[in-house]
Amino acid sequence: MEAYIPMLLTIITAATPLLFAAIGEMVTEKSGVLNLGVEGMMVMGAIIGFLTVHVTGSATFAILAAIMAGMVMAALFGVLILYFHASQVPTGLALTIFGVGLSALVGQSMIGVAYQGIPDVSIPFLSDIPLLGDLLFNHDIMVYLSVLMVGLVHLFLTRTRAGLILRAVGDSHDAAHAMGYSVIRIRFLATLFGGAMAGLGGAYLSLAYSPLWVEQMTAGRGWIALALVVFASWRPWRVLFGAYLFGGISILQLHAQAYGIAVPAQVMSMLPYLATIVVLVIISRDLSKIRINAPASLGRSFHPSK
Amino acid sequence: MLPSLVKRQQISKSMVYLSPVLAFVLSLLAGVILFIIMGVSPLAALHSYFVEPLSSSYNLAELAVKATPLVLIGVALSLGFKAGVWNIGAEGQLTMGGLCGGVVALYFYDQQGFYILPLMLAAGMAGGMAWAGIVAFLRVRFNANEILTSLMLSYVAGLFLNLMVHGPLKDPDGFNFPESRLFGDSAMLPILIEGTRLHVGALMALIAVGLGWVIISRTLLGYQIKVAGSAPAASAHAGFSGARIIWITLLIGGAMAGLAGVIEVSGPIGQLLPSISPGYGFTAIIVAYVGRLHPVGALFAGILLALTYLGGEMAQIQLNLPVAVTGVFQGLLLFFLLACDVLIHYRVQFGKPALAREKR
């Protein structure tokens, strides 16, 4: 068992960026907004976080800046789709194209710069438990935060009035509007939350997972996060499960060579993408299940004077 | 009083065409601000981006070379987007097309013959179609979201090409560089104008525009595509097969992207490399939108977006500006376009939002 601990630890770090991005997007989608710009928000979080840690030397500031970067990107998207009634699919694509370009531009001077990474925080006493202690209570602060967010989102959606309203807006914006709720404002806030989480996910990549800046280092994780939301059928704990499953798949590629499996590196790198397709197919084939779980107003534009 | 948006009774026809122009002007302004922030003279930058590429016949030919893949894919994506089929994996279909065409070229590398090039083009189109066909199959048979599957397959295609040029297709005399042999003369597209790189692919793009226009405005298929996109319920009621539209638009998209891929490798590149496109497949999404999802529009939009690539190269050489500016500019253009499009369906009203409420 002891021998597997390092591998299990890397699975957790590989899953964390996906978990952040996917839990944020899930909340956004619950409000009826489909933001395909996760990849763009993530990659901006990654570079802004990395830049900030180098300018200020503070990981805390870096994380906050990455959250801000994700939110600014999300705000851009939110204004376009909510106030300018732009169609959600192309606007999300635009956000990704823009984010990938802008991050490459901003990150020019950061290529090849190193960072030692966010330190691990051992939880006293608990981390001393044999095996489990190392596995569960000896991570950097962001790992704990990601799991905490899942719990908070779950509580928010199922136990609070605000969560109920958010779901109502996502399921029927007309009904929610008739009841006097501000559909636009609620959707904007949900979109901002999605951006903040995507920014965090990006920051985790550049500050902890592989602490350096490479152009397009998100490598499609934003898209995998979008697939995860479908996989989880819009439920927080299933998002957690899915993220760890995908973390495991992407870690396989790193460990295959160590175990002497002679598969080309490129083939191993295809695994997460292929797995995403397989999982999507398995989940999507049951149309009724998707219809029951997906927010009914997902992707539809709303204008009160209609 | 804040300005408010009031829904128009009818869509504004003039804004449909004015919006891309307005978006371009706004992107230019944003570009100028960007250059000032970067400490570059905006005038010099704009000269590099918009004057230099148009200033010599060689550069104009280069512009056409870059516009060719964008127009080919943009026309095809327009058909799909019009039908509500979101194939955003054209980059992967381009890659597979280039790879399949390249394999044919390498198979015949020591032979000459008129048959080689047509075979390559056919293989490239087949490769792109097959790659898009996977997406169509998964969508029609399993309801899998085509946005995500087509995109995931793009990453897979990129890695597959990388694998091939590192392995089986690597030039045996190439000092272990990850690239294929140079293609033979028979595997290269004929040049149209001596002294430039302008090849017959540009003519194919023009033909694609014509064909796209005929399909969309003169055929039942075009009508079905339009109805499927604008009124899915009516389309189903009329007995149009949604599955058929998905298959056809994706296969056309794949074929055109594959053709663009093989044109790239048998035109400007002349061999297989780990990467054969600077994101043409993604930029073609913008081409389709700026071109108003219309084949003729895609022609103009393709040239405009090609200008951003060529201008980006000019600015890199002359002003040492990073190539990434191109991507930022393309993203901005699409943002502004989507924002300006609000004026097609809504008009801006200053003051008195009460009027808007009465209309309800």
Side-chain angles (χ1 to χ4, degrees), chain A residues 14-141:
Chain A
T16 299
L18 291 173
L19 184 52
F20 275 126
I23 200 74
E25 175 69 12
M26 198 206 78
V27 172
T28 305
E29 290 191 15
K30 271 285 182 191
S31 80
V33 174
L34 178 66
N35 186 353
L36 295 183
V38 184
E39 179 86 359
M41 301 189 294
M42 262 184 112
V43 77
M44 283 303 287
I47 185 57
I48 295 298
F50 196 68
L51 262 177
T52 309
V53 89
H54 274 279
V55 173
T56 65
S58 154
T60 312
F61 279 142
I63 291 168
L64 290 176
I67 292 176
M68 285 304 295
M71 285 173 88
V72 168
M73 293 287 281
L76 195 57
F77 173 83
V79 166
L80 279 170
I81 62 136
L82 295 171
Y83 297 97
F84 285 83
H85 308 290
S87 172
Q88 295 181 12
V89 170
T91 310
L93 293 176
L95 195 68
T96 290
I97 295 171
F98 178 69
V100 169
L102 188 60
S103 64
L105 184 62
V106 175
Q108 276 263 314
S109 58
M110 285 289 129
I111 295 172
V113 179
Y115 171 60
Q116 80 277 12
I118 296 178
D120 286 346
V121 181
S122 304
I123 296 183
F125 308 118
L126 286 177
S127 61
D128 297 333
I129 305 171
L131 295 180
L132 276 184
D134 260 348
L135 194 56
L136 300 178
F137 303 108
N138 204 359
H139 293 285
D140 58 74
I141 188 99

Side-chain angles (χ1 to χ4, degrees), chain B residues 60-85:
Chain B
L60 281 173
E62 281 295 294
L63 187 67
V65 168
K66 293 205 159 46
T68 296
L70 294 174
V71 172
L72 275 171
I73 307 172
V75 167
L77 289 187
S78 299
L79 299 179
F81 292 170
K82 240 186 170 52
V85 179

Side-chain angles (χ1 to χ4, degrees), chain A residues 175-217:
Chain A
H177 176 67
M179 286 164 75
Y181 298 117
S182 172
V183 173
I184 301 286
R185 189 186 310 150
I186 290 160
R187 287 195 170 161
F188 193 70
L189 290 174
T191 304
L192 285 184
F193 179 77
M197 290 296 109
L200 261 177
Y204 193 78
L205 276 177
S206 65
L207 297 176
Y209 184 65
S210 52
L212 46 85
W213 168 248
V214 186
E215 266 182 35
Q216 297 187 37
M217 71 181 298

